[in-house]
Amino acid sequence: MAESSENKAGVPPYDASAIESKWQRVWEDEGVHKAGEDPTKPKKYVLEMFPYPSGDLHMGHARNYTIGDAMARQARMRGYDVLHPMGFDAFGLPAENAAIKHNTQAGKWTHENIAQAVKTMKRMGFSYDYDRMFNTCDPEYYKWGQWMFIKMWEKGLAYRDTSPVNWCPTCQTVLANEQVVNGECWRCGTVPEKRNLSQWYLKITDYAQELLDDLDKLDGWPENVKAQQRNWIGRSEGAEIDFTLADVDGTTPTDRKVTVFTTRADTIFGVSFMVLPPESELAAELVAGTEYEAAYLELKSATEKVSAVDRQGSEREKHGVPTGRFVINPINGRPVPVWVADYVLMDYGTGAVMGVPCGDQRDFDFAKKYDLEIAPIICEKDDPLYEELKDERELRVTSVDWDGAMEAEGYLVQSGEFTGLKGGKHSEAVDAITKWLSDHDCGRETVQFRLRDWLISRQRYWGNPIPMIHCDCCGDVPVPYEDLPVMLPEDLDLGAGETLAEYAPFYETTCPKCGKPARRITDTMDTFTCSSWYYLRYCDPHNDEAPFSKEAAGRWMSVDNYIGGIEHAILHLLYSRFWTKVLRDLGMLDIDEPFTNLLCQGMVKDENGDTMSKSKGNVVPPSSVIDPYGADTMRLAILFIAPPEKDFDWDPEAVAGANRFIKRAWRVVWQLCETAAAGEVDPAALDADAKELNLALHASGIKCTQDFDRGQFNTAISAAMELTNAASKYLVDVEADRRDKALCARVAHDLVTILAPICPHWAEELYHEALGLSGSVYNEPWPTFDEAQAKSDTIEIAVQVKGKVRARIQVSASASKDELEAAAKEAVADQIAGKDVKKVIVVPGRLVNIVAI
Ligand code: ANZ
Ligand code: ZN
């Protein structure tokens, strides 16, 4: 740091705009942010969820990326080889809609938005390795998505099936279950309809158990995200029980079975009806041609308009119709009527439910409404009914007048040989009855998952084509690997309503197997397939022989710090975990989980705490801060206002405050440099003022470093502010010729260094111009601070006279009891003068109490 003392030119003004464009140019020219390639160094992969290029970046992006950038820059200074890439999630419906509206091409619109977003990223000074940037709509990228699809097809993990799916009438495409959020289309909010369509799926259910189990390994993930995933996967242990269908005339058994799924086999003696969902083919068959058919068909069409979430909601009124048919309870031979009701779902369990009004509230409500039996078969011991029925084995009381289901745990009554056993979920009664059923070959233990296979086909255009061909002779045939990628045509006339399915140059092809004319699949893949492995491609983005090499992935994966919005808690994060496991099983990866630590940043709301949105007109664009103040002020403000995971309300005052601080710190660094000189600081040789500054240096340095490690940038910044204050005080209190030159140099240097991850241009400029150093502040190691020097060697203690505080004195932290007593007496000498000191109580480190009369 020898040169720094020579700079005596005074403090130049802080010109953010000039400094920022200057360093952005230099960093780009010198490739400062390229991922390191030094295998002797530990690695750190810092990643922010890549954006959908729907326009310029907004404040939410700015916050997300500023957090990641501060982490990445600091990691570099802490000696890591850092991978910090960025790209664009560039396929998707909005591009298509915008193209139609503005009469342009989806690709053109997308690339214009990307160019704008990149410009803003560069203006923000984000330290991305731009050589690794790609867009998911680049054929060099989506080719490998197709390749992976075929690999999955070969392993039976991709398949086609016809079943009722969620169709969004607004988006004109199907949706995955995960994309129906609170019963609405995640994109446009329309309530989807159920349609029976032939669609393509990925078999995520094969991984349900592992996806659940491995959540326990993710110590670096927020609990609420793990809980949401657990819930979505929804593992449920229970039993399947076979009921025998009775014939049309009543109760004679046929050889047909209807199987239910239940978690409460213990309640089987209380079954008073069976329920099928309206979509059930069996239901349709049972009522066909009967007096019940009309009502059934009406219920069926009414139910199609209701979302699955609403159908299961406990508050919603239940609607049902009888079928006129019966099934026979396998455990006691009782016939029970078969009903059809909208609260039962087709695609959970077996799609049939045994109705137990006394145990389940939904069944209870249903029984009340349609006047069905409510047989008490489980009771608490303090219930009078328990006394009455506790030894009863036969079902004698078949209906009680209750207000609600007996959802509490209790003991079985009226339950044959199982009467008296404790019931409830996972209870001894469940075990005993399940065993009886399986011994009698009419039931078995089973595990159910709520998770369904991932529906990935979409019927629009701007997405990655499913690389399959349908041939009338050979069926579905994958496109040969050497023909990949299946290029998405860029010249569709979207304005005229043309879709991929109508575009003959795309779909007309020949069968790779038999050579006859065949039709290419015109569905494209859900864009969430593209974002399920982009983080792997960044490890090896230019590979044209494979999606990525195992070696490159081995070097960088897993992502150490992944930062993004909580809205992806299930969708993207679950799909990516699945995809990683599939690639592992294909031998392409050695890891089980893609993201070690996950940070879900809070939202940026407007000044009144409302979400920013274009329609409300309350959006604060990043340029509105960068233009007047510069990117460094913006970055500082974003990180200072709140801890990263908390929401905050946008506050122009906080931005102005951040700008005042940056200017002040700028002046302080320059002024320190005016009296700085090279050399080691000798703590023993410092005078009292210098000692105080040195103490602030080490204490704030330690605090700042620890807070960085915890991702608590707001308090890390507070620590840097304290150091700035201490330095400023030193400059005011101590004249230039009395200042410790080595200490001034060190404080200036460290202040620049610890703020460098947050205010990069500011720091780089000071590093070169004020400190007079060369290279880059990012090649500078993070400073080390000393615990011993961070503690004051004097402490303040209270001096009391007869229990009342009369003085406070500074004493050496290592002072003995005698020394403390002497110092205390001196401090209150006038008050104890002429009195008799009866007793002196010394509490080291806290106080001295003098009892004088
Ligand atoms: C009888 C019973 C008695 C039930 C009782 C509960 C309480 P979880 O825990 O979420 O897995 N069920 C089964 N399949 C269904 C379907 N397709 N649509 C709607 N409900 C269905 O829930 C399992 C319970 O949900 C099952 O256990 C069944 O009701 C119901 F006192 O069977 B239960
Ligand atoms: Zn929609």
Side-chain angles (χ1 to χ4, degrees):
M1 277 176 255
E3 306 92 317
S4 56
S5 61
E6 266 132 51
N7 192 323
K8 302 215 193 302
V11 179
Y14 170 62
D15 180 351
S17 140
I19 292 170
E20 291 179 0
S21 46
K22 166 180 163 190
W23 288 109
Q24 283 158 18
R25 227 174 18 251
V26 174
W27 291 332
E28 192 160 337
D29 292 348
E30 295 181 1
V32 177
H33 306 314
K34 282 204 195 344
E37 310 220 343
D38 180 352
T40 62
K41 283 190 183 173
K43 68 92 187 179
K44 192 151 265 181
Y45 186 173
V46 180
L47 183 64
E48 300 110 56
M49 288 180 187
F50 67 167
Y52 180 77
S54 58
D56 201 357
L57 300 183
H58 56 63
M59 226 18 119
H61 295 123
R63 186 175 192 198
N64 186 174
Y65 308 156
T66 300
I67 294 166
D69 197 57
M71 285 183 174
R73 286 181 181 272
Q74 202 237 6
R76 208 162 271 146
M77 298 170 79
R78 296 286 287 275
Y80 290 95
D81 250 1
V82 173
L83 173 57
H84 186 216
M86 182 47 81
F88 291 90
D89 191 9
F91 274 137
L93 208 41
E96 230 172 292
N97 293 341
I100 295 168
K101 193 167 154 203
H102 304 125
N103 196 24
T104 176
Q105 292 294 332
K108 186 162 174 280
W109 182 85
T110 304
H111 283 105
E112 280 166 11
N113 284 336
I114 289 174
Q116 179 55 46
V118 169
K119 233 166 127 184
T120 306
M121 285 172 180
K122 291 192 170 164
R123 271 194 91 190
M124 287 290 291
F126 296 139
S127 60
Y128 299 131
D129 182 344
Y130 285 97
D131 285 351
R132 292 179 188 245
M133 183 169 268
F134 63 82
N135 312 315
T136 56
C137 63
D138 301 341
E140 300 76 29
Y141 179 74
Y142 70 67
K143 167 183 178 175
W144 297 112
Q146 296 175 4
W147 184 93
M148 290 173 185
F149 177 92
I150 298 173
K151 291 280 170 201
M152 292 193 213
W153 164 268
E154 288 168 354
K155 288 195 72 178
L157 288 171
Y159 66 95
R160 182 164 28 179
D161 189 28
T162 302
S163 59
V165 296
N166 306 302
W167 171 267
C168 175
T170 306
C171 297
Q172 289 286 306
T173 184
V174 300
L175 303 170
N177 283 340
E178 289 79 5
Q179 291 169 333
V180 181
V181 180
N182 298 327
E184 296 172 352
C185 169
W186 69 296
R187 193 186 295 114
C188 72
T190 308
V191 174
E193 300 163 2
K194 283 281 179 196
R195 286 200 183 178
N196 224 28
L197 295 171
S198 167
Q199 296 293 315
W200 297 82
Y201 293 85
L202 297 183
K203 231 169 167 200
I204 192 171
T205 52
D206 268 14
Y207 288 84
Q209 188 66 51
E210 198 195 337
L211 286 166
L212 181 68
D213 291 343
D214 284 358
L215 286 173
D216 295 337
K217 294 185 191 162
L218 299 176
D219 295 332
W221 280 41
E223 263 328 306
N224 66 336
V225 173
K226 289 190 278 185
Q228 284 188 58
Q229 291 212 356
R230 262 184 214 113
N231 207 23
W232 185 259
I233 296 167
R235 185 180 194 276
S236 206
E237 288 174 5
E240 283 178 5
I241 303 177
D242 307 325
F243 286 63
T244 305
L245 184 67
D247 70 3
V248 259
D249 300 326
T251 54
T252 316
T254 65
D255 53 8
R256 292 182 68 183
K257 302 210 178 312
V258 187
T259 304
V260 300
F261 170 70
T262 179
T263 47
R264 296 293 305 274
D266 58 324
T267 63
I268 189 163
F269 286 85
V271 176
S272 48
F273 52 94
M274 172 173 288
V275 207
L276 301 174
E279 304 89 332
S280 157
E281 280 175 21
L282 176 65
E285 183 197 323
L286 296 182
V287 298
T290 70
E291 59 188 289
Y292 304 103
E293 189 170 17
Y296 162 76
L297 291 173
E298 201 175 302
L299 175 68
K300 185 173 170 185
S301 72
T303 310
E304 274 161 14
K305 299 185 181 70
V306 187
S307 75
V309 178
D310 288 345
R311 274 171 68 172
Q312 282 207 303
S314 52
E315 302 86 51
R316 188 169 178 274
E317 185 181 345
K318 287 144 193 70
H319 306 272
V321 291
T323 63
R325 296 287 292 268
F326 289 81
V327 286
I328 296 162
N329 187 335
I331 208 150
N332 58 6
R334 278 189 103 224
V336 293
V338 179
W339 281 67
V340 179
D342 55 359
Y343 71 97
V344 171
L345 301 179
M346 189 64 198
D347 61 355
Y348 186 63
T350 60
V353 171
M354 59 183 215
V356 184
C358 103
D360 184 282
Q361 189 60 41
R362 292 167 301 175
D363 297 343
F364 181 88
D365 296 341
F366 193 73
K368 272 263 173 187
K369 178 166 176 190
Y370 294 105
D371 202 19
L372 298 161
E373 287 178 352
I374 302 176
I377 48 87
I378 187 163
C379 276
E380 291 284 16
K381 283 191 165 159
D382 55 8
D383 190 323
L385 204 58
Y386 179 77
E387 263 321 300
E388 183 190 334
L389 297 174
K390 72 178 189 310
D391 301 319
E392 194 68 62
R393 293 177 155 233
E394 293 305 309
L395 194 55
R396 179 166 64 79
V397 179
T398 54
S399 235
V400 282
D401 187 19
W402 283 344
D403 305 333
M406 254 289 304
E407 299 211 44
E409 320 263 292
Y411 292 81
L412 295 193
V413 295
Q414 310 198 98
S415 293
E417 63 189 85
F418 307 98
T419 298
L421 290 184
K422 188 166 175 19
K425 266 198 174 175
H426 304 288
S427 61
E428 55 174 353
V430 166
D431 290 345
I433 291 178
T434 306
K435 178 160 188 315
W436 187 96
L437 292 165
S438 81
D439 288 349
H440 291 78
D441 213 18
C442 51
R444 61 218 70 89
E445 255 181 62
T446 170
V447 173
Q448 276 300 322
F449 289 93
R450 195 161 295 279
L451 184 67
R452 294 283 85 105
D453 278 341
W454 175 12
L455 196 173
I456 58 151
S457 42
R458 298 291 178 272
Q459 288 67 44
R460 296 287 292 260
Y461 152 64
W462 190 237
N464 190 4
I466 292 181
M468 299 292 291
I469 292 168
H470 184 79
C471 167
D472 285 339
C473 304
C474 309
D476 291 328
V477 182
V479 173
Y481 287 110
E482 60 273 19
D483 295 347
L484 298 182
V486 174
M487 293 287 287
L488 186 70
E490 299 250 353
D491 48 359
L492 238 59
D493 194 352
L494 294 172
E498 196 166 40
T499 68
L500 208 49
E502 295 155 351
Y503 190 66
F506 180 75
Y507 67 71
E508 279 177 355
T509 186
T510 50
C511 172
K513 257 195 191 157
C514 70
K516 289 194 195 123
R519 187 181 163 97
R520 199 181 282 292
I521 298 301
T522 54
D523 284 352
T524 55
M525 290 187 238
D526 183 0
T527 56
F528 279 93
T529 62
C530 303
S531 54
S532 286
W533 70 280
Y534 76 109
Y535 50 90
L536 292 163
R537 183 70 177 174
Y538 285 141
C539 299
D540 195 8
H542 306 299
N543 195 331
D544 53 15
E545 258 137 47
F548 53 86
S549 75
K550 201 169 176 179
E551 200 190 341
R555 166 78 174 130
W556 291 112
M557 288 300 291
S558 304
V559 175
D560 295 277
N561 293 95
Y562 197 31
I563 307 131
I566 188 77
E567 66 275 16
H568 292 295
I570 296 172
L571 288 155
H572 162 62
L573 291 168
L574 187 66
Y575 293 147
S576 298
R577 296 181 60 222
F578 159 66
W579 209 280
T580 296
K581 291 172 192 298
V582 170
L583 296 184
R584 177 203 60 195
D585 292 346
L586 285 167
M588 298 171 65
L589 279 175
D590 288 326
I591 49 164
D592 297 322
E593 286 289 336
F595 313 124
T596 309
N597 293 292
L598 174 69
L599 192 156
C600 295
Q601 90 271 0
M603 300 232 291
V604 184
K605 306 202 164 167
D606 75 0
E607 281 175 75
N608 307 313
D610 292 328
T611 338
M612 291 187 188
S613 80
K614 272 189 197 148
S615 56
K616 284 191 221 153
N618 60 352
V619 174
V620 181
S623 59
S624 73
V625 183
I626 307 178
D627 289 345
Y629 293 119
D632 283 337
T633 291
M634 164 111 174
R635 296 168 56 114
L636 182 77
I638 284 179
L639 294 178
F640 185 59
I641 296 180
E645 61 285 343
K646 293 262 153 45
D647 290 354
F648 71 71
D649 299 343
W650 187 252
D651 178 3
E653 204 17 69
V655 179
N659 189 248
R660 280 195 299 275
F661 168 69
I662 240 182
K663 286 185 183 154
R664 180 146 174 266
W666 168 270
R667 271 196 311 276
V668 165
V669 170
W670 274 102
Q671 285 169 2
L672 287 168
C673 286
E674 281 169 12
T675 43
E680 284 285 304
V681 177
D682 176 3
L686 299 176
D687 65 19
D689 290 310
K691 233 180 210 158
E692 205 178 314
L693 177 57
N694 190 52
L695 185 114
L697 169 70
H698 289 279
S700 338
I702 288 170
K703 175 115 194 357
C704 182
T705 309
Q706 286 169 349
D707 289 346
F708 253 112
D709 289 347
R710 295 187 298 125
Q712 297 300 297
F713 304 105
N714 57 328
T715 48
I717 293 168
S718 302
M721 288 175 168
E722 277 161 31
L723 179 55
T724 310
N725 289 342
S728 170
K729 178 167 187 289
Y730 185 69
L731 292 167
V732 172
D733 291 355
V734 183
E735 273 163 43
D737 52 358
R738 267 210 317 113
R739 291 177 201 156
D740 187 285
K741 294 188 164 56
L743 181 64
C744 288
R746 166 104 208 237
V747 172
H749 172 268
D750 289 2
L751 195 55
V752 168
T753 320
I754 61 178
L755 279 170
I758 293 164
C759 306
H761 316 85
W762 173 96
E764 195 77 293
E765 176 75 6
L766 288 171
Y767 186 76
H768 286 257
E769 302 305 325
L771 303 176
L773 296 170
S774 57
S776 169
V777 66
Y778 300 100
N779 298 326
E780 190 79 4
W782 191 256
T784 49
F785 300 98
D786 178 13
E787 284 283 354
Q789 294 183 58
K791 278 193 215 97
S792 172
D793 53 1
T794 60
I795 50 170
E796 191 182 85
I797 64 165
V799 181
Q800 300 177 339
V801 179
K802 288 208 294 179
K804 276 215 174 96
V805 178
R806 296 295 180 193
R808 293 186 184 278
I809 53 171
Q810 297 290 326
V811 294
S812 160
S814 56
S816 68
K817 279 195 169 189
D818 290 344
E819 285 166 337
L820 288 175
E821 182 175 333
K825 281 183 176 156
E826 194 188 315
V828 292
D830 51 340
Q831 298 181 45
I832 56 174
K835 290 189 177 155
D836 186 10
V837 174
K838 294 273 185 211
K839 203 159 135 200
V840 179
I841 302 151
V842 181
V843 185
R846 289 196 41 218
L847 61 82
V848 177
N849 185 13
I850 300 168
V851 184
I853 307 165

